[in-house]
Structure formats: structure tokens, C-alpha cells
């Protein structure tokens, strides 16, 4: 199904999709359960791998492939009471054995992009979470693609109480490993100034 979708999208001039969603969720109240692969991390990992391969094939230079995006990194499916944007409070065992495996499978399949999530984890919004984006994804898993924020999630760090304003939110997100800002306009408005001020490294 992902391969067919990729061929049709590529034919229409689309070269990137915000899929697959590989969140494991066990709360039927969460409105996005139909988008994922269910409750089981093993099955979810197999489907994540297959969908990435379907979208991207073995060669993204092929005119019949599009770039995939594994989302939402990480823990979005465990939002308290199934409410979007809510906090996530899980133990290390759940994080490593349930939440992480489908994302690791997507990485093993060569996924080129990740999307971070709205939720916080251990009190830190995923968009500004260097543990998730740098330590695990880019350093431990050697992910060489880029991370896009979820819709407006850089500004959402203000609502979480993690950033005081858009400038601080942009600084926190950039330094934590969020490479592309979707819809907050925080990078467009603030990133050049933060680099000039030495608060975000140009590299």
C-alpha cells in the first residue's frame, strides 16, 4: 500500500509524506489509533519497516519513490487520557521496549526524516528534548536525516511552560535537534538572530 501511494504521490509531484505514524497506543480514547499499527511493539515494528521500504524503495533517486517520515518521536500514543498535547509519563521499560522499537525499525529501514511529538516526556516537550533527538536518535542510532517539528510544536513549548517566548522556544528546539520548524515560524523569525548572538551554533 505504501509503494502504491508513493507511485501515485510522486506522479503528482509530491516527494515527501508525513507517514508512517508508528506510535504504539493502548488507549482507545486517543483519536489517532486508526493511523497506527495497534498495541503490539513487534507488529508495529514490522509494519513500520515495511511502510518505510514501500515509500522509499531502495533508491530515493527513483521517480517512483518519496521520502518517508517516522512519527511522532516520541511517546505520543501514551498521552494521558488519550488527549492530544497532553503529558506522557512512562517508565524506562515502556519507553525502550514498547515505544522505541517501531522507530528503531523505521531507522533500520533507512527512513530519511522523523517528526517529533507534541507531548512532553519526563517534563520536557519532545520538540526541545535533546535526549530523544540527539542522544538516542542522532548519536546512538546514527540517524543522518532530519527532524521536523509537528505542527506548531515549537511554539507549543510556551504553553507547556518550557519556554518563555518564541525566541527561547526556537533556541531550545534548534539546540535539542529539531531541524525544521513546521508552522511556528519560530525559525524564520528568530533563528538567524540566535545564530548571530551565539546562542545556536551555525553548524
Amino acid at each position: 500500500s505504501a509503494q502504491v501511494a508513493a507511485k501515485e504521490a510522486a506522479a503528482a509531484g509530491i516527494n515527501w509524506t508525513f507517514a508512517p505514524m508508528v506510535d504504539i497506543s493502548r488507549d482507545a480514547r486517543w483519536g489517532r489509533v486508526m493511523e497506527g499499527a495497534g498495541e503490539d511493539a513487534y507488529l508495529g515494528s514490522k509494519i513500520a519497516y515495511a511502510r518505510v521500504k514501500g515509500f522509499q524503495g531502495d533508491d530515493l533517486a527513483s521517480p517512483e519513490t518519496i521520502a518517508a517520515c517516522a512519527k511522532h518521536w516520541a511517546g505520543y500514543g501514551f498521552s494521558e487520557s488519550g488527549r492530544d498535547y497532553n503529558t506522557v509519563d512512562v517508565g524506562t521499560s515502556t519507553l525502550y521496549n514498547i515505544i522505541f522499537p517501531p522507530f528503531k525499525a523505521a531507522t533500520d529501514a533507512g527512513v530519511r526524516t522523523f517528526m517529533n511529538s507534541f507531548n512532553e516526556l519526563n517534563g520536557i516537550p519532545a520538540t526541545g528534548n535533546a535526549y530523544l533527538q540527539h542522544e538516542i536518535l542522532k548519536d546512538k542510532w546514527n540517524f543522518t536525516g532530519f527532524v521536523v517539528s509537528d505542527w506548531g510544536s515549537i511554539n507549543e513549548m510556551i504553553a507547556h511552560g518550557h519556554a518563555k517566548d518564541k525566541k527561547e522556544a526556537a533556541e531550545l528546539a534548534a539546540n535539542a535537534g529539531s531541524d525544521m520548524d513546521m508552522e511556528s515560524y519560530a525559525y524564520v523569525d528568530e533563528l538567524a538572530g540566535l545564530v548571530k548572538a551565539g546562542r545556536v551554533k551555525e553548524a
Side-chain angles (χ1 to χ4, degrees):
S1 65
Q3 185 180 50
V4 171
K7 288 180 179 179
E8 293 182 353
I14 296 168
N15 55 27
W16 185 25
T17 181
F18 289 155
M21 190 195 90
V22 301
D23 293 294
I24 300 299
S25 181
R26 294 171 174 176
D27 190 338
R29 295 174 296 179
W30 192 46
R32 304 187 70 161
V33 291
M34 82 296 289
E35 192 180 352
E39 301 179 355
D40 185 77
Y42 178 76
L43 176 62
S45 298
K46 290 295 186 182
I47 292 176
Y49 189 96
R51 292 193 71 201
V52 170
K53 283 295 187 182
F55 286 128
Q56 297 189 167
D58 294 319
D59 182 9
L60 272 175
S62 166
E64 294 188 337
T65 62
I66 60 176
C69 183
K71 63 183 189 180
H72 305 84
W73 180 244
Y76 197 27
F78 282 77
S79 297
E80 285 187 356
S81 68
R83 298 181 66 183
D84 280 348
Y85 303 88
N86 213 348
T87 187
V88 170
D89 190 8
V90 295
T92 305
S93 177
T94 298
L95 189 65
Y96 277 84
N97 295 317
I98 306 299
I99 294 172
F100 281 178
F103 290 98
K104 181 60 168 65
T107 305
D108 292 343
V111 71
R112 297 312 300 141
T113 67
F114 263 60
M115 182 186 293
N116 58 39
S117 53
F118 288 121
N119 58 276
E120 61 177 38
L121 183 68
N122 289 328
I124 302 173
T127 306
N129 196 314
Y131 165 73
L132 287 173
Q133 296 175 116
H134 266 304
E135 185 176 333
I136 299 296
L137 183 60
K138 296 181 179 183
D139 296 340
K140 188 173 183 179
W141 292 357
N142 298 313
F143 176 70
T144 58
F146 71 88
V147 178
V148 58
S149 76
D150 204 342
W151 183 277
S153 68
I154 293 179
N155 274 355
E156 291 292 339
M157 290 198 291
I158 301 169
H160 276 293
H162 193 67
K164 64 182 179 182
D165 54 28
K166 186 161 69 171
K167 178 181 283 188
E168 185 179 29
E171 178 183 355
L172 290 169
N175 287 331
S178 186
D179 303 303
M180 181 179 178
D181 174 6
M182 176 168 47
E183 198 54 33
S184 285
Y185 297 92
Y187 286 179
V188 170
D189 295 339
E190 305 291 349
L191 198 52
L194 289 166
V195 171
K196 289 175 182 176
R199 292 166 64 177
V200 174
K201 292 180 180 178
E202 186 173 359

